[in-house]
């Protein structure tokens, strides 16, 4: 719009000129006037806009009034021009009249310009000052950052230097304490810690070539020598106190554990002195343990049973055997070496970890070997655990190093134990004692594993390697003794149980009951072999009887006795129990058939024959047996009560076990009833038994027999 204003002003002025000259528009124009956007003849002029302008002018109040009155526009224009001139002259006169005021206003404006100019200069100066201040602030900020960085660097250096100075400075209190205070005081131990830290720190800084270390090295070295000397004397004094007679070495050991840092200080600063003290301790304790356990073992063996089993006290050796003139007397009762009795309590929880036996205060002198073995090795276990923990704690060793150090201390003692056990076991024939010792070792080994102390694991394994072969050897000797046993050397034989089978039953039940916690397949195999030999031996002895009935009575009595002992002390599901149950059941059934045969053999034979013919379909052959059946029925009716009475009395006389005899009688009567019912249901007997009141039929039942023959 600003660009159009000159052209518009030019157009208006041209129109005014034309009106003043009175020249009609467009007349005398040599060149057309370039009106630009105001050219009405331009093709680009929009007629709608012209209409809008005309309409706007017509709405003007003056124009409307002029149009209404019919005024001539030219005349009206001149009149307006005249009025404008008058107004102009009036305005000039007002201006001249107000000239002083205008001049004053001009002066005021000039003064204001001067003031504003000064203010502009002041603001410019202030702006320059602000720029200068901003530059100064930036400079100060840079200086502050630099100062902060220098401060941090100085603080870091100060912390390191202060630590260096603190670690290098040797206070007078430390010197006086190390030189004068006893090693048992807490202050000496604290200053020794500080001295150790300073020595290590100086070594580290000397490696970094810190010059200040040279100023304190000689002081620290003198303090270290003094501390090492005092510590060495203290520890040697404690070690030498172990050697005093009747000394409880655990007390000085506990005292050394309170000052375990002494050895750590020596190990870090004077390894030669630490090695010397370690060797002194190992030598002293090795001798103490060896002397103690050697004396304890010898005193224990003096309170052992006087009667000890020898090579002739085997399961298959007869009691009537005579020995030579120079032979030592046999055991008063050889059966005791095959019986467990109360000996099994040694592996019970209460006695296994109970107090050890004190020989000079023992109230009796008849301890079995396994009790002495338990006491001896529980003392070894307890001392080994304590010693191993002390070595690991005081001498700061672990793993293989700890094991090697323990072996150095306890090696001689363990070797003495193994030598003693090897010598004793080689002449031992008490298999139960050896087997109990094996299970004591297994339980002690489990205790050591639970305590997580592997110190004597190798010793336990070596001990088992000594005991297991001996146990197997003694068991094989017993097996061989039964194999070589001649039944004719037993003298007079009766149907009662043999003492050899009693020995086997007691021994087998003892081994099975002990073996339940830690089962061993080799033991089961040897027991199975022993059982086979005992069964064969019983059969060989039974063959010495002339009648089959006596043989069966002998077998049943022996099987019943062995089964009773096994079930009383062993597990009912064991192989031994199951095997003898089957043998007893088979021989009992055979014996029942044997005792039923004399009084009721005819009826039993007829029942078996008739059933066989019926199965073959040969019923015609039974038609000719009527006379035989009649005779059998009459004979049975007249003799069955007497025969049953005689049978019951015979059974009760033949078997020593009342319960077993009662069971056999019940089995025999049950079997007789079954035979009678089978005979009664046959094709022929029914016809001959009809109407015979003498032959019991319905009254034959088990309750009837039991009521008439109380057991």
């Amino acid at each position: 719009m600003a660009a159009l204003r000159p052209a518009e002003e030019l157009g208006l002025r041209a129109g005014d000129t034309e009106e003043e000259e009175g020249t009609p528009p467009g007349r005398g124009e040599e060149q057309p006037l370039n009106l630009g956007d105001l050219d009405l003849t331009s093709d680009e002029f929009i007629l709608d806009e012209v209409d809008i302008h005309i309409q706007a002018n017509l709405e003007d109040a003056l124009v409307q009034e002029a149009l209404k009155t019919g005024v001539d526009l030219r005349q009206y224009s001149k009149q307006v021009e005249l009025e404008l001139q008058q107004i102009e002259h009036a305005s000039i006169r007002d201006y001249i009249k107000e000239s002083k005021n205008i001049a004053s206003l001009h002066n005021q404006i000039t003064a204001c310009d001067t003031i504003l100019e000064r203010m502009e200069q002041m603001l410019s100066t202030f702006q320059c000052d602000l720029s200068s201040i901003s530059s100064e602030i930036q400079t100060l900020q840079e200086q502050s950052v630099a100062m902060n960085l220098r401060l941090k660097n100085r603080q870091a250096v100060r912390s390191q230097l202060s630590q260096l100075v603190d670690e290098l400075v040797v206070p007078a209190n430390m010197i006086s304490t190390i030189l004068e205070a006893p090693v048992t005081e807490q202050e000496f131990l604290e200053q020794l810690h500080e001295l150790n830290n300073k020595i290590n720190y100086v070594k580290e800084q000397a490696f970094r070539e810190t010059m200040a270390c040279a100023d304190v090295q000689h002081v620290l070295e003198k303090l270290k020598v003094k501390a090492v000397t005092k510590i060495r004397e203290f520890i040697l004094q404690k070690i030498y106190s172990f050697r005093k007679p009747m000394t409880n070495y655990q007390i000085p050991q506990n005292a050394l554990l309170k000052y375990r840092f002494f050895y750590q200080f020596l190990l870090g600063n004077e390894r030669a002195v630490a090695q010397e003290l370690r060797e002194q301790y190992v030598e002293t304790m090795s001798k103490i343990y060896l002397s103690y356990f050697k004396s304890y073992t010898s005193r224990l063996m003096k309170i052992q049973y006087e009667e000890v089993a020898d090579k002739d006290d085997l399961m298959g050796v007869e009691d009537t055997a005579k020995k030579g003139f120079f032979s030592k007397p046999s055991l008063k009762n050889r059966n005791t070496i095959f019986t467990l009795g109360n000996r099994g309590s040694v592996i019970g929880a209460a006695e296994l970890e109970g107090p050890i036996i004190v020989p000079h205060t023992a109230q009796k002198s008849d301890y079995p070997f396994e009790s002495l073995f338990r006491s001896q090795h529980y003392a070894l276990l307890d001392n080994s655990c304590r010693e191993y923990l002390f070595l690991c704690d005081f001498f700061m060793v672990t793993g293989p190093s700890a094991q090697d150090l323990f072996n150095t201390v306890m090696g001689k003692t363990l070797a003495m134990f193994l030598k003693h056990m090897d010598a004793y076991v080689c002449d031992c024939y008490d298999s139960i004692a050896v087997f109990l010792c094996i299970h004591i070792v297994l339980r002690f080994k489990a205790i050591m594993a639970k305590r997580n102390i592997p110190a004597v694991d190798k010793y336990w394994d070596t001990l088992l390697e000594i005991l297991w072969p001996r146990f197997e050897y003694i068991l094989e000797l017993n097996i061989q003794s039964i194999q070589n046993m001649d039944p004719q050397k037993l003298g007079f034989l009766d149907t009662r149980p043999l003492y050899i089978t009693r020995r086997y039953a007691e021994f087998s039940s003892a081994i099975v009951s002990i073996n339940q916690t830690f089962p061993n397949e080799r033991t089961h195999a040897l027991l199975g072999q022993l059982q086979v030999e005992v069964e064969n031996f019983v059969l060989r002895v039974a063959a010495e009887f002339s009648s089959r009935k006596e043989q069966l009575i002998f077998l049943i009595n022996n099987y019943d006795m062995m089964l009773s002992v096994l079930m009383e002390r062993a597990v009912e599901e064991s192989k031994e129990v199951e095997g003898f149950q089957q043998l007893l059941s088979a021989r009992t059934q055979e014996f029942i058939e044997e005792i039923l045969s004399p009084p009721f053999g005819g009826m039993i034979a007829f029942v078996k024959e008739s059933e066989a013919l019926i199965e073959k379909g040969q019923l015609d052959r039974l038609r000719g047996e009527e006379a035989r059946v009649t005779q059998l029925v009459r004979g049975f009716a007249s003799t069955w009560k007497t025969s049953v009475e005689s049978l019951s009395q015979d059974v009760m006389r033949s078997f020593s076990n009342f319960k077993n005899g009662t069971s056999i009688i019940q089995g025999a009567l049950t079997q007789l009833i079954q035979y009678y019912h089978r005979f009664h249901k046959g094709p022929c007997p029914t016809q001959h038994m009809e109407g015979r009141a003498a032959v019991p039929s319905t009254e034959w039942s088990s309750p009837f027999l039991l009521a008439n023959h109380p057991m």
Side-chain angles (χ1 to χ4, degrees):
M1 295 302 294
L4 298 178
R5 287 176 183 174
E8 292 175 353
E9 294 177 356
L10 180 59
L12 291 174
R13 290 175 182 173
D16 293 342
T17 305
E18 288 177 354
E19 289 179 354
E20 291 178 356
E21 294 178 355
T23 305
R27 188 181 294 178
E29 293 181 358
E30 294 179 359
Q31 291 181 356
L33 182 62
N34 186 11
L35 299 178
D37 293 337
L38 299 177
D39 188 5
L40 297 177
T41 62
S42 175
D43 294 337
E44 297 177 0
F45 186 81
I46 302 174
L47 295 179
D48 293 339
E49 295 181 359
V50 175
D51 292 338
I52 295 172
H53 288 295
I54 293 175
Q55 186 66 28
N57 291 329
L58 289 176
E59 292 179 356
D60 188 77
L62 294 177
V63 176
Q64 289 180 357
E65 183 179 357
L67 290 176
K68 288 180 181 179
T69 56
V71 178
D72 186 4
L73 294 178
R74 289 190 180 88
Q75 187 64 30
Y76 182 75
S77 175
K78 290 178 179 181
Q79 184 180 351
V80 170
E81 184 177 355
L82 181 60
E83 292 177 355
L84 289 173
Q85 289 178 358
Q86 293 175 356
I87 294 170
E88 181 180 357
H89 291 310
S91 175
I92 292 172
R93 287 193 296 271
D94 292 337
Y95 181 78
I96 293 171
K97 184 178 178 179
E98 300 290 336
S99 60
K100 293 181 179 181
N101 295 331
I102 293 173
S104 176
L105 178 63
H106 176 70
N107 293 332
Q108 293 178 1
I109 292 173
T110 303
C112 287
D113 288 340
T114 303
I115 293 170
L116 290 174
E117 184 176 359
R118 288 201 304 271
M119 291 182 66
E120 182 179 4
Q121 292 175 358
M122 290 175 62
L123 291 174
S124 298
T125 303
F126 183 69
Q127 184 176 6
C128 292
D129 293 341
L130 286 177
S131 299
S132 176
I133 290 172
S134 176
S135 177
E136 291 177 359
I137 290 174
Q138 186 175 1
T139 302
L140 290 174
Q141 185 177 5
E142 293 175 356
Q143 292 177 356
S144 176
V145 172
M147 292 176 66
N148 189 26
L149 180 60
R150 289 197 296 272
L151 177 62
K152 289 182 178 179
N153 292 336
R154 290 179 181 179
Q155 288 177 345
V157 173
R158 179 181 178 182
S159 64
Q160 294 183 0
L161 287 176
S162 64
Q163 181 182 1
L164 178 64
V165 172
D166 292 340
E167 294 293 341
L168 292 180
V169 171
V170 181
N173 184 32
M174 176 184 291
I175 297 174
S176 61
T177 303
I178 296 297
L179 294 178
E180 300 173 1
V183 296
T184 55
E185 291 187 1
Q186 182 65 25
E187 185 179 2
F188 179 86
L189 185 60
E190 294 174 356
Q191 293 300 329
L192 188 65
H193 277 279
E194 291 294 329
L195 177 61
N196 187 58
N197 293 334
K198 289 184 181 298
I199 292 174
N200 293 333
Y201 189 81
V202 168
K203 289 180 181 179
E204 181 183 353
Q205 295 301 323
F207 180 76
R208 298 179 180 179
E209 299 181 354
T210 303
M211 302 299 295
C213 295
D215 298 336
V216 295
Q217 280 182 338
H218 64 286
V219 178
L220 294 177
E221 185 66 23
K222 291 180 180 179
L223 289 176
K224 183 186 75 173
V225 172
K226 184 62 176 178
V228 168
T229 303
K230 296 175 71 174
I231 291 172
R232 178 179 176 276
E233 292 177 355
F234 172 76
I235 296 179
L236 283 177
Q237 180 184 0
K238 291 295 182 184
I239 293 175
Y240 292 153
S241 67
F242 293 162
R243 304 177 181 180
K244 296 180 181 179
M246 306 300 293
T247 299
N248 185 358
Y249 63 89
Q250 295 176 3
I251 296 177
Q253 271 188 343
N254 294 333
L256 286 176
L257 286 177
K258 291 174 59 178
Y259 305 102
R260 62 175 64 89
F261 181 73
F262 288 173
Y263 185 80
Q264 182 180 350
F265 180 82
L266 295 177
L267 195 63
N269 297 282
E270 282 294 337
R271 285 189 172 270
V273 176
Q275 183 66 24
E276 176 193 1
L277 296 177
R278 177 170 165 173
E279 291 175 356
Q280 285 289 335
Y281 176 84
V282 168
E283 181 183 0
T284 300
M285 294 307 298
S286 177
K287 292 179 179 178
I288 290 174
Y289 281 125
L290 178 61
S291 175
Y292 167 74
F293 280 107
K294 190 173 183 180
S295 173
Y296 182 66
T297 301
S298 63
R299 284 184 286 134
L300 276 180
M301 297 309 294
K302 293 178 181 179
I303 59 174
Q304 188 187 3
Y305 271 140
E306 295 180 358
E307 297 179 351
V308 181
D310 59 13
K311 61 181 180 179
D312 294 322
D313 295 315
L314 299 175
M315 193 178 300
V317 175
E318 62 274 11
D319 284 337
T320 57
K322 295 182 180 180
K323 298 185 178 181
F325 181 76
F326 296 101
S327 300
K328 68 176 183 178
S330 179
L331 291 177
K332 294 180 180 178
N333 187 2
R334 186 178 282 111
N335 290 332
T336 56
I337 67 173
F338 303 105
T339 304
L340 183 61
N342 296 327
R343 298 172 68 182
S345 61
V346 73
I347 59 175
E351 188 173 342
L352 183 66
E353 300 185 56
I356 63 173
I357 299 173
V358 182
H360 64 275
T361 61
Q363 299 295 328
K364 56 181 181 178
S365 60
D366 55 351
Y367 286 95
F369 176 73
E370 62 271 11
S371 296
L372 307 180
F373 179 88
R374 196 271 328 166
S375 181
Q376 178 190 30
H377 284 80
Y378 188 69
L380 174 66
L381 180 149
D382 192 43
N383 285 275
S384 297
C385 291
R386 184 183 296 274
E387 186 64 28
Y388 183 81
L389 293 176
F390 174 81
L391 294 175
C392 293
D393 200 3
F394 186 78
F395 292 103
M396 297 180 298
V397 290
T398 56
S401 300
Q403 186 65 50
D404 293 340
L405 183 58
F406 177 83
N407 291 337
T408 307
V409 175
M410 299 292 294
K412 294 180 180 179
T413 302
L414 297 178
M416 183 271 295
F417 269 39
L418 291 175
K419 184 177 180 181
H420 166 73
M421 286 301 302
D422 195 18
Y424 180 85
V425 167
C426 286
D427 196 35
C428 177
Y429 292 89
D430 189 351
S431 54
I432 293 182
V434 176
F435 197 61
L436 284 171
C437 291
I438 290 173
H439 278 263
I440 289 172
V441 172
L442 293 174
R443 284 162 172 79
F444 282 167
K445 189 175 181 181
I447 292 173
M448 296 285 282
K450 186 177 180 180
R451 296 182 183 180
N452 196 23
I453 297 178
V456 289
D457 285 351
K458 187 176 180 180
Y459 171 77
W460 298 133
D461 295 337
T462 306
L463 199 56
L464 290 174
E465 291 175 359
I466 295 175
L467 294 172
W468 272 118
R470 186 62 185 179
F471 172 73
E472 295 174 359
Y473 174 73
I474 298 173
L475 207 55
E476 289 172 355
L477 287 180
N478 282 282
I479 294 173
Q480 186 176 1
S481 68
I482 294 175
Q483 289 176 343
N484 299 334
M485 185 67 180
D486 187 1
Q488 295 181 354
K489 294 182 179 181
L490 296 176
F492 176 75
L493 295 177
D494 55 19
T495 57
R496 291 177 297 178
L498 292 173
Y499 60 87
I500 294 178
T501 55
R502 164 67 69 174
R503 293 174 184 175
Y504 163 76
E506 295 285 354
F507 177 77
S508 181
S509 62
I511 299 300
V512 170
S513 62
I514 296 172
N515 202 45
Q516 291 173 4
T517 308
F518 293 91
N520 181 269
E521 293 300 326
R522 176 62 178 165
T523 304
H524 288 304
L526 290 172
L527 285 179
Q529 185 178 354
L530 178 62
Q531 180 182 353
V532 171
E533 295 301 329
V534 170
E535 292 174 2
N536 293 336
F537 172 73
V538 172
L539 292 177
R540 293 202 305 271
V541 176
E544 297 294 322
F545 292 95
S546 58
S547 66
R548 182 58 181 168
K549 180 180 178 181
E550 290 180 338
Q551 293 177 358
L552 292 175
I553 293 173
F554 173 79
L555 291 175
I556 292 173
N557 278 328
N558 281 273
Y559 291 155
D560 177 66
M561 183 273 299
M562 290 187 287
L563 184 61
S564 299
V565 175
L566 287 172
M567 292 183 66
E568 180 182 356
R569 301 178 182 177
V571 181
E572 294 185 3
E573 292 79 7
S574 62
K575 295 180 180 179
E576 291 79 8
V577 171
E578 183 179 356
F580 283 113
Q581 282 178 340
Q582 295 176 356
L583 290 174
L584 179 62
S585 177
R587 294 296 175 261
T588 301
Q589 189 62 34
E590 184 179 354
F591 177 74
I592 290 173
E593 295 288 340
E594 186 70 23
I595 61 176
L596 290 178
S597 180
F600 308 106
M603 181 183 68
I604 295 173
F606 178 79
V607 169
K608 293 179 178 180
E609 293 175 5
S610 61
E611 289 177 350
L613 293 174
I614 291 173
E615 288 180 1
K616 296 179 181 180
Q618 300 176 0
L619 295 176
D620 295 338
R621 295 181 57 181
L622 293 175
R623 301 297 181 184
E625 300 291 340
E626 294 182 1
R628 179 184 175 187
V629 171
T630 302
Q631 184 180 359
L632 289 175
V633 170
R634 291 176 178 176
F636 180 83
S638 61
T639 62
W640 70 270
K641 290 184 179 182
T642 305
S643 300
V644 169
E645 287 286 352
S646 176
L647 180 148
S648 300
Q649 294 175 3
D650 186 23
V651 169
M652 296 308 296
R653 286 193 303 268
S654 300
F655 298 101
S656 56
N657 187 346
F658 178 80
K659 184 178 179 181
N660 184 38
T662 303
S663 176
I664 292 174
I665 292 174
Q666 290 178 350
L669 296 179
T670 302
Q671 186 70 16
L672 178 60
I673 292 172
Q674 292 177 356
Y675 277 126
Y676 178 78
H677 283 296
R678 288 158 62 186
F679 178 75
H680 181 69
K681 294 178 180 179
C684 293
T686 304
Q687 301 174 4
H688 294 276
M689 293 174 65
E690 290 178 355
R692 296 184 179 270
V695 181
S697 57
T698 57
E699 66 269 20
W700 261 85
S701 61
S702 181
F704 172 79
L705 289 173
L706 294 178
N708 286 275
H709 303 282
M711 304 304 157

